[in-house]
Amino acid sequence: MRATVSETGKATPADAWTRYENLDLWATWSPQVQEVIAATRRLTPGLTGLVVGPLGVRLPFEVTTVDAAAMTWSWHVRFGLVHATLDHSVRPAPGGGCTSDLVIDAPAYAVLAYRPVAALALRRLVEA
């Protein structure tokens, strides 16, 4: 199943992109992320690591694409037998601020469970 989640807020596109690009900032806006364990602290294609979530659950990931100029990036995340591809983007919003879009491609039950959590995270990402 494929689903899109979008949120708009007052943050500048550059600020929202910085929150994506700097792995140390993920836990400040994404409530489901406690820590990111990776060799570097910035998004780069081919980067692998673990996202540590609630109760210490560790999800392996691989960043597949990053286009800083276009403010887009994609990654593949696993949770047991569930595989998900997540495509992220940040763009200017009409009238100021920015919009962040997330396209989730995963089994339907995983998409339906993750969608509200993703919406909360994106709202926090685009806050000023």
Side-chain angles (χ1 to χ4, degrees):
M1 175 179 186
R2 226 169 138 78
T4 301
V5 180
S6 297
E7 293 290 337
T8 299
K10 294 182 181 183
T12 67
D15 286 344
W17 178 252
T18 296
R19 292 174 188 154
Y20 267 144
E21 196 173 43
N22 183 340
L23 303 182
D24 292 326
L25 296 178
W26 285 14
T28 66
W29 57 267
S30 184
Q32 69 273 23
V33 175
Q34 293 179 351
E35 179 184 7
V36 180
I37 301 168
T40 65
R41 306 316 303 155
R42 300 200 81 64
L43 282 179
T44 55
L47 179 66
T48 60
L50 298 169
V51 173
V52 181
L55 305 174
V57 173
R58 294 170 178 241
L59 307 176
F61 72 84
E62 179 180 3
V63 176
T64 54
T65 64
V66 177
D67 184 337
M71 291 187 281
T72 62
W73 70 283
S74 299
W75 62 330
H76 183 83
V77 181
R78 275 192 349 238
F79 180 63
L81 298 176
V82 177
H83 293 255
T85 299
L86 300 107
D87 301 318
H88 298 268
S89 65
V90 175
R91 59 190 160 83
C98 70
T99 298
S100 182
D101 300 306
L102 166 62
V103 177
I104 308 164
D105 190 358
Y109 63 89
V111 171
L112 294 172
Y114 187 61
R115 229 175 147 168
V117 175
L120 174 60
L122 291 183
R123 275 194 299 277
R124 292 174 54 158
L125 176 76
V126 298
E127 286 178 352

